Amino acid sequence: MSLSDHPKAYGTAALTAAFAAGILVTLGFKDFYPDLERRYQLQRKENKRRTSTSDSRRRSSVFFGGGGPVALEDHDTPDITPSIVDGIEGCIGNTPLIRIRSLSEATGCDILVKAEFLNGAGMSPKDRVALNMIQKAEEQGLLVPGRGDTIYEGTVGSTGISLATLAKARGYHAHICMPSDQSAEKVDLLHHLGATVERVTPAPIVDPNHYVNIARRRAAEHNASSETPSRGFFADQFESEANYEAHMLTTGPEIYAQTGGKIDAFVAGAGTGGTLSGVTRYLKVEKQLNNLRAVLADPYGSGGYNRIRSGVMYSPTEKEGTRRRSQVDSIVEGIGINRVTLNWKAGEKFVDDAVRVTDEQACRMARWLVQHDGIFVGSSSAVNCVAAVVTALGMPTGSVVVTVLCDPGMRHLSKFYKRVNELGLEENEEEESKHVVVAEKNNEGDLVASLGIEETLKVKRRGGGRSRDEEE
């Protein structure tokens, strides 16, 4: 007897077979397209955002008292907004603002650091500057992609790295002139980025063979040649308005937004003066934070400290009025200034105070940050953090102090961290680790003693600023 003789049995068998086939097809379809579900969930979230403004027009649920619409939530997909940036330029800016727990606990203030080493091109705040200088040059026709143009710059490293990276991304060559005493890591990185690196003997700015003057000369020689249609562009970071403007347009607004405008002090070093001037001008002029204290973090050998304190760009290590010498032998790279540049002048009148930081204090801070916070940064960042601590200890408890972490420590192994090791700060690692485990809370006394800033605090308090004793 066949199934055709029994229609009811035939129908049941057919339905069962169709159901089984449907299951198999569904499972196979899902296996064949493993990302289908993810795409569907992302689309659902996008649709939810687009229709969020029309919630008031939805029907109320009778099951919940006639209130607002029932919001269905997806708990399976991470709350990630899809975002694609165009090129490496899209990785510049919007860096995190990090609260350093150990320094904040010890000082009683919130010490926040702008993590500029997380910029995606050259891993420093110079990414912002380099991009702005290049864009402005393109707007003016000084640089044209694909023409074979070369960007020339005199730099101690970070600006050169940013320029070399962005030059490749936008179709240019980079020719970097830098002092021969800078760390080997920076030179090697520039070579790997395809830049031409011209290392020169350190000299004062009045010397024609100062690295900045050589870069300017190389650009002029390029333009004087008629062999190719290409042009040479001298970036001139020290005197370019695009430098401090980059920080007025991006860094300053980011800090203001991240703090909600609740910031009591901004601390930064000055190599060209761009970061300090740009951020300070934005916060004090654009946002009218009149009670904000802007503080220069200055290494020994730099004239900025005395310029702010006494009005004279002068370092005790040089005879006033000469300037025919190079900066004092310091392991700190990237900051320190001995002449009034356009970028310095743009914000000088808004700077309220200065803190001078020794090489040893910078080394001790670098070691402290590694040991207590797992933060590994370069010499200029360490100087900024020492100055931030000194500033915080002269302000009321609970104040918000913001500074900048400039570049990663990997670029300073052969020079700065070699000195850290020579000072014996990396010895007895096991004992230090035990100490950190026992001392869960950091206090002011330990921090001050570890950094060796007792005398610095005395000088700071003699020169103004509210001490904790006075506050209590």
Side-chain angles (χ1 to χ4, degrees):
M1 189 185 326
S2 67
L3 288 174
S4 59
D5 296 329
H6 298 274
K8 190 173 184 179
Y10 179 81
T12 302
L15 181 61
T16 302
F19 181 77
I23 293 175
L24 292 173
V25 169
T26 301
L27 292 175
F29 190 78
K30 186 175 182 181
D31 289 339
F32 189 74
Y33 294 101
D35 66 334
L36 182 61
E37 176 116 10
R38 291 195 300 273
R39 294 183 183 182
Y40 170 70
Q41 294 292 355
L42 288 174
Q43 186 61 48
R44 282 183 62 198
K45 293 175 75 65
E46 182 64 24
N47 291 339
K48 187 188 298 183
R49 281 190 294 271
R50 290 177 180 175
T51 59
S52 61
T53 56
S54 62
D55 283 349
S56 59
R57 296 193 298 270
R58 297 178 184 172
R59 289 177 297 176
S60 301
S61 172
V62 296
F63 297 105
F64 293 90
V70 178
L72 300 179
E73 297 183 2
D74 178 13
H75 295 284
D76 296 325
T77 305
D79 189 15
I80 300 174
T81 301
S83 178
I84 298 174
V85 298
D86 187 23
I88 195 65
E89 300 94 327
C91 300
I92 298 174
N94 294 314
T95 54
L97 191 65
I98 303 170
R99 179 179 181 270
I100 300 186
R101 286 194 294 263
S102 70
L103 301 183
S104 298
E105 290 172 3
T107 61
C109 295
D110 279 332
I111 294 186
L112 312 179
V113 292
K114 189 72 167 148
E116 288 295 277
F117 63 91
L118 295 179
N119 280 303
M123 302 175 71
S124 82
K126 297 300 185 180
D127 279 1
R128 302 174 187 265
V129 175
L131 181 59
N132 199 39
M133 290 193 297
I134 291 174
Q135 289 175 332
K136 284 187 172 294
E138 289 174 340
E139 291 171 2
Q140 298 169 19
L142 301 175
L143 285 173
V144 177
R147 189 172 62 182
D149 294 350
T150 298
I151 301 171
Y152 294 86
E153 183 60 305
T155 168
V156 296
S158 292
T159 305
I161 293 169
S162 296
L163 283 171
T165 304
L166 292 170
K168 288 298 182 185
R170 300 176 80 89
Y172 307 116
H173 304 294
H175 185 119
I176 306 302
C177 300
M178 63 188 302
S180 58
D181 61 351
Q182 299 304 294
S183 65
E185 292 86 351
K186 292 181 180 179
V187 179
D188 291 342
L189 181 54
L190 283 166
H191 281 302
H192 286 301
L193 289 170
T196 298
V197 182
E198 187 173 351
R199 303 183 72 184
V200 302
T201 302
I205 187 64
V206 294
D207 192 317
N209 291 318
H210 184 274
Y211 62 94
V212 171
N213 296 331
I214 290 178
R216 180 185 291 105
R217 191 159 65 245
R218 295 288 181 263
E221 292 168 354
H222 184 141
N223 291 327
S225 173
S226 58
E227 296 179 1
T228 67
S230 67
R231 304 291 295 169
F233 169 67
F234 175 48
D236 199 12
Q237 59 169 326
F238 289 91
E239 305 299 331
S240 172
E241 291 183 352
N243 184 340
Y244 78 85
E245 286 179 353
H247 296 292
M248 284 191 67
L249 294 171
T250 63
T251 319
E254 288 173 26
I255 290 173
Y256 184 85
Q258 289 167 323
T259 60
K262 297 178 181 178
I263 172 174
D264 299 297
F266 176 69
V267 180
T272 63
T275 303
L276 183 63
S277 291
V279 173
T280 300
R281 281 177 66 101
Y282 177 80
L283 295 176
K284 287 196 171 189
V285 178
E286 297 293 327
K287 290 302 179 181
Q288 294 292 301
L289 298 183
N290 299 321
N291 294 325
L292 174 78
R293 288 189 66 77
V295 181
L296 169 69
D298 214 35
Y300 266 78
S302 171
Y305 176 86
N306 279 329
R307 178 74 177 188
I308 297 300
R309 285 264 176 153
S310 61
V312 179
M313 184 69 80
Y314 168 65
S315 170
T317 57
E318 61 179 329
K319 184 178 179 181
E320 171 64 13
T322 61
R323 302 292 184 272
R324 293 198 63 85
R325 63 177 309 283
S326 59
Q327 183 171 320
V328 69
D329 186 18
S330 172
I331 57 172
V332 175
E333 297 181 3
I335 57 174
I337 190 167
N338 279 312
R339 70 184 192 275
V340 178
T341 65
L342 179 148
N343 282 279
W344 170 274
K345 194 172 182 180
E348 179 184 5
K349 67 180 180 181
F350 302 111
V351 180
D352 304 289
D353 202 358
V355 176
R356 179 176 284 156
V357 181
T358 67
D359 284 355
E360 182 170 344
Q361 288 169 345
C363 288
R364 290 181 175 277
M365 174 57 81
R367 187 64 195 145
W368 173 282
L369 292 174
V370 170
Q371 188 65 23
H372 293 77
D373 300 278
I375 296 175
F376 187 57
V377 288
S379 55
S380 58
S381 302
V383 169
N384 284 346
C385 286
V386 172
V389 165
V390 172
T391 299
L393 291 176
M395 300 186 73
T397 301
S399 298
V400 176
V401 179
V402 176
T403 190
V404 180
L405 297 185
C406 304
D407 63 354
M410 288 80 78
R411 292 181 184 170
H412 300 263
L413 299 178
S414 64
K415 187 176 178 181
F416 181 64
Y417 278 95
K418 180 181 178 181
R419 180 58 177 158
V420 171
N421 185 60
E422 290 172 349
L423 289 171
L425 300 177
E426 295 179 332
E427 295 177 358
N428 302 318
E429 180 73 26
E430 186 175 344
E431 291 301 317
E432 286 187 15
S433 297
K434 290 179 181 178
H435 175 71
V436 172
V437 171
V438 173
E440 289 292 339
K441 62 178 182 178
N442 299 287
N443 61 68
E444 178 181 329
D446 288 342
L447 178 63
V448 170
S450 295
L451 300 182
I453 59 175
E454 297 90 343
E455 189 60 32
T456 304
L457 286 172
K458 290 179 182 178
V459 172
K460 179 77 163 56
R461 287 165 180 169
R462 284 199 300 267
R466 186 180 183 186
S467 71
R468 290 300 166 86
D469 293 337
E470 293 171 337
E471 181 185 335
E472 295 172 358

